[in-house]
Amino acid sequence: MNTYLPQLTEFYARIADDARINTSHISLFMALFQHWHENGFLNPIQITRDKIMPPAKIGAISTYHRCIKDLHELGYIRYCPSRRPGRLSKVHLLPGQSA
């Protein structure tokens, strides 16, 4: 079985019953997931919003920040913002996404 299938399957199973999740959340999660895949499924991944927003098709910084915060608070990811310019933020994609 591929490394990513349980996480992806669990994510889609959870969002089916989670009315708080919208298309922007899904798009952001998928961009983070792709970045995780490109980096060998290692946790955490290091990100900047400039690299994640375009593939997520999110144009507004406020939408990005709201969605990444929501995904963190809802237990889909663990987000550790750098809060300092020039420093990369860290995101842990949680195995099985269990909250």
Side-chain angles (χ1 to χ4, degrees), residues 27 36 72 74 94:
S27 179
W36 182 54
H72 171 81
L74 296 172
L94 306 175

Side-chain angles (χ1 to χ4, degrees), residues 29-76:
F29 183 88
M30 292 309 299
L32 293 168
F33 190 90
Q34 178 62 24
H35 190 71
W36 182 54
H37 174 253
E38 290 170 352
N39 287 278
F41 301 105
L42 298 176
N43 271 319
I45 54 173
Q46 295 186 322
I47 64 164
T48 64
R49 70 173 182 249
D50 294 342
K51 297 290 183 191
I52 298 299
M53 286 176 62
K57 303 298 186 199
I58 294 175
I61 293 171
S62 60
T63 300
Y64 169 81
H65 283 294
R66 177 182 49 81
C67 289
I68 202 160
K69 179 182 160 209
D70 290 349
L71 289 172
H72 171 81
E73 290 176 355
L74 296 172
Y76 291 96

Side-chain angles (χ1 to χ4, degrees), residues 1 4 6-7 15 18 20 28 34-35 42 48 51 54 64 68-69 72 75 78 83 87 89 97 99:
M1 180 181 282
Y4 60 87
Q7 288 80 9
I15 65 170
D18 193 341
R20 302 165 295 185
L28 178 57
Q34 178 62 24
H35 190 71
L42 298 176
T48 64
K51 297 290 183 191
Y64 169 81
I68 202 160
K69 179 182 160 209
H72 171 81
R78 188 171 64 202
R83 303 198 194 284
R87 280 239 166 126
S89 295
Q97 267 76 66

